[in-house]
Each structure stands twice: as structure tokens, then as C-alpha cells.
Amino acid sequence: MPRKELPMIPRLSKSKYISGSQCHKKLYLEIRSPELATEFDEQTQAIMDMGTEVGELARKRFPGGMLVAQDRTQIPQAIKETADLIRNPSVTAIFEGTFEFDGVLVRVDVLERVGPALWRLIEVKASGGVKDKHLPDLAIQTYVLKGAGVPLSGSWLMHLNTKYVYPGGSLDLEQLFTLSDLTDAIAAPLGAVTTRLAAMRTMLAPPIPPAIEPGYQCDDPHSCQFWDHCTKDKPARWVFYLPGGRRTFDKLVAQGVTTIDEIPPTFKLARSQQLMKDNVEWTGPKLARALKGVRYPVHHLDFETFGPAIPQYTNTRPYQTIPFQWSNHVETEDGNIRHDEYLHTGQQDPREELAKALLASLGQKGSICAYSGYEMKMIKDLAAACPSFKKDLERVSARLVDLHPIVKTNYYHPKFNGSFSLKDVLPAVTSLDYSDLEIQGGTAASQQYYRMIFEATDPAEKERIRLALLAYCKRDTLAMVELRKTLLQKAP
């Protein structure tokens, strides 16, 4: 029988090295079976888009820099152009410089000339500070550049300065970005590169992926696109779905526990975990009293917000949360319901106008129900940003009632699957859900709002997004009305 040829070990890239550092199986599937991956979710895609935008802006911090523009199909040309730019003494910085060494290809965000033959490696991140996950990223780039013969003065991370307050007009890029020297910090991960690469190549050689069980490593530091593939055969009550975090999961797996139903009665569980294990509907004796504590007219309030990495409004910071929309369903004591809503559609700061409309809707009377402490934070932030409404907004804060802890303390349904998120609670106890909506989550709402205001040029697209945003936020507050009504019926 002829010997089966093993697949050739491909060239690795920076992103592949990062994947392999997270999980060998993730790397194997990215290279050998990429068709098994799911598309990036909205949140991941939004983060990637934001990173691209920040990276392009960061280049303006280095006037006179040159971009190596060739795409992935033109790697030899990109490597050659990078070498030509390095030899050109008039080039002060190179963007997307392309290098290959030891079978690894990297493209460097910024390579800054700091001497006639000396360079500083700079990785640009859209984060607000240095994180542990940045170290292997810088380490593999440093390894390749040093191996390719590029003399480096150091390896740095360039990230956003979340303390920078945008004064209006042109952005001060010197203040917007912070440079952190990580040359010493990457010493350990840099020393591990050779060993890690060898282990990855050994793992890639066989015709089958490594036998690695899915777990918390699948989302640390990046969400894996092969999660659905690797978990397709897991039982519906797989022990991973138990709330409580990695430590509980690891302990149970070490004991050979596969499903929640197999958890021994002697294993200590938190209350939310025990409710999920019991898997029965439960109503606490204090539910009725907690729900009847609200006063009519009962308002049901929800905000939608966005936090642009690059500040768009005067006196705001990178990633500062800005409310742009609210919905309020108002229920009177006779059972009638009124719906008010607001969505800002201009490019100016929405907060003053939004706060004024909100106060008119909320009036002076009645409880204001929300489903998390987020609305409380938004109202406090609005009070700080809008001094003329500060006292009125502070009075609003005193009327807020958070339904989330009321539900979490007093009610559980098996369809919650251990989660008390409104998106999980709502379809379990009412006929409402979000499946018919174009926008089905807060991250998508933020992303679509930014697109509507700052990117879209087609009036039809802007109108489509506007209507989708209104429908989503309206559903959130109608959900609270129906949830209160249903739980009152269930309360003893």
C-alpha cells in the first residue's frame, strides 16, 4: 500500500501564530479546514472595523511615512518594496512593512526610523491600554524582524489614551495616542517563539486535528470561529453552560462530569447554578411584593448607546459611552399603555436634546423600570454632561427600579438556561422575542447607528437603519411591560 502523503506545513503568519498560541486545534482548523469556521459575529466584526480605523488614523502620527500597499496575493512584491524603503534614507516610517523569516510572515503596523540604520517596531491597537494578549503579538513580530536582519531599538505598543478629552476641531494625535515600550515585557514570550513554532509545526503534520476539548480557552483572548464545529456534539446540558466561570467548570471536568445533571449532590453550587441544575420553574415568595412596589404611571426605559474609539464630540474621550436613543412604554393604573421614543439623527452631540426629550416623557410621577443598572449609569452621566438638566435628572434617578435583580432573586424558568439576560428571559415567559427584528442586540444597534450617522450616504439605507433602531429599542421596553405583567400573574 502506498504511503499517504502528509500535507505540506504551510507558511505561518502573525495571526496564525497568535491562534496557535491560544489553541493548537484552532490553528489546525484555520489552515486545514477553514470552511468549518462560522462568520465573525457583529461584535467581533465591529471591533475589527474599529481597529482598522484606528490603525489608519495612527499613520498620521508619523508624517512622511510610506505605505506598503500590496495585498496578500502580492507578498513577494511587498517584501521587496519594504526592503527598498528600508534602504531609502529619506523614508522616516514604513506602514505595513512586510517581512519573512523562519517560515513566518508578518506585516508591521509602523516601523519608525530612529537612526540611519535603526528602527522602532510599533504595533497599533485600538485598546485603551496594554494587555497581556498584546505580548505574543509583539514577540512574533520582533522575532521575524530580528531574524530578517532589521536592527531594532525596541518593540512598542501604540494605543488610545482614554484620558484624552477631545477639545473640538482637529484631533491632537500626540495626545490621542500613547506609546508604551514593551521591549523588556516581551522578553519571555520572545524566548518562547522557537519552541512554540516547533510545536505548532509538529501538530500540523498529521492528517487529523489534535484532540483538544472545547472550553474557556476558546474565548481567551479571542473568540474562536470554530466553536460551533467543536461543540456540535455536546449535550444540551453540557456542564460548560453552567454559570459560574472557569474554576467551577475545570473542577467538574476533573471529576469526570459531562452534563449538569451528573453534578454530584455533594458538589457545592451557587444559587443560580443550583436553579439550573434543578431545571424546574421556581417562584420565590417575595416576587409579588417586589413587583407591586412600583408606582403608577409605570415607565419602562431603555437606552441605546455607542462608544466610538475616536471621539466625535467636543469634551468626550475615546470609548466614552454616548446615549443616542431611548424608548419608554408608560403603563397607567387602568392598564392603558403609551409609547414615547427618541432617536438622534444629526451629527452633533445628542445628549442635550436627548435629555430634554427624556425628561418630558418621564414627567414627575411614577416608577421608572429598567432591566440592569445601565440606565442608572446613563442618567448619572447625562446629569454630568448636561448641567442645565442636572437636578431634574437626579430626581429621575431616585425613581428607577431595576427589574433584573428582582427576577434573578425571585424567579427562574428552565428555558433561561442559567442566564438572566432579557434576551433569554423574555421568550421563556412571554410570546415576545427578537427573532423578527433586523437589529437584535445592543452591539449591532451601536454599530448600525455609527454607520447611519458617520458612514452611510444613501438616504434609503439611512432610513432603513433608523427604522430598525426604533423597532429594536421599542421591543426592549415592551418586553419589560410584558415581563412585569406575566410575573405578576405567576407571583404567589
Side-chain angles (χ1 to χ4, degrees), residues 80-211:
K80 181 180 183 303
E81 182 176 348
T82 301
D84 291 342
L85 291 173
I86 284 177
R87 288 191 292 267
N88 185 342
S90 68
V91 174
T92 58
I94 302 171
F95 310 132
E96 296 296 320
T98 307
F99 303 88
E100 184 173 14
F101 172 72
D102 193 18
V104 182
L105 180 81
V106 299
R107 301 196 76 157
V108 178
D109 288 338
V110 181
L111 194 62
E112 182 186 23
R113 191 186 295 273
V114 293
L118 192 62
W119 299 84
R120 176 164 67 162
L121 167 63
I122 302 174
E123 171 71 7
V124 180
K125 294 294 185 185
S127 67
V130 177
K131 300 180 180 179
D132 289 343
K133 66 180 181 180
H134 298 148
L135 303 183
D137 193 327
L138 265 175
I140 188 62
Q141 293 182 70
T142 301
Y143 174 80
V144 171
L145 265 66
K146 286 187 173 182
V150 179
L152 294 178
S153 66
S155 300
W156 293 61
L157 188 79
M158 187 176 183
H159 57 84
L160 292 167
N161 172 19
T162 55
K163 294 182 179 180
Y164 168 68
V165 178
Y166 172 51
S170 299
L171 289 161
D172 184 342
L173 299 185
E174 295 286 337
Q175 296 296 320
L176 177 63
F177 289 104
T178 296
L179 277 162
S180 299
D181 185 357
L182 300 185
T183 307
D184 294 336
I186 67 168
L190 179 58
V193 167
T194 302
T195 302
R196 285 190 173 188
L197 286 174
M200 291 177 197
R201 288 167 178 144
T202 299
M203 174 275 300
L204 287 168
I208 57 173

Side-chain angles (χ1 to χ4, degrees), residues 10 26 110 182 195 230 248 271 341 372 375 484 490:
K26 179 183 181 183
V110 181
L182 300 185
T195 302
C230 291
T248 301
R271 179 179 166 278
E341 60 188 355
S372 78
E375 275 60 38
R484 277 186 57 251
K490 291 178 177 290

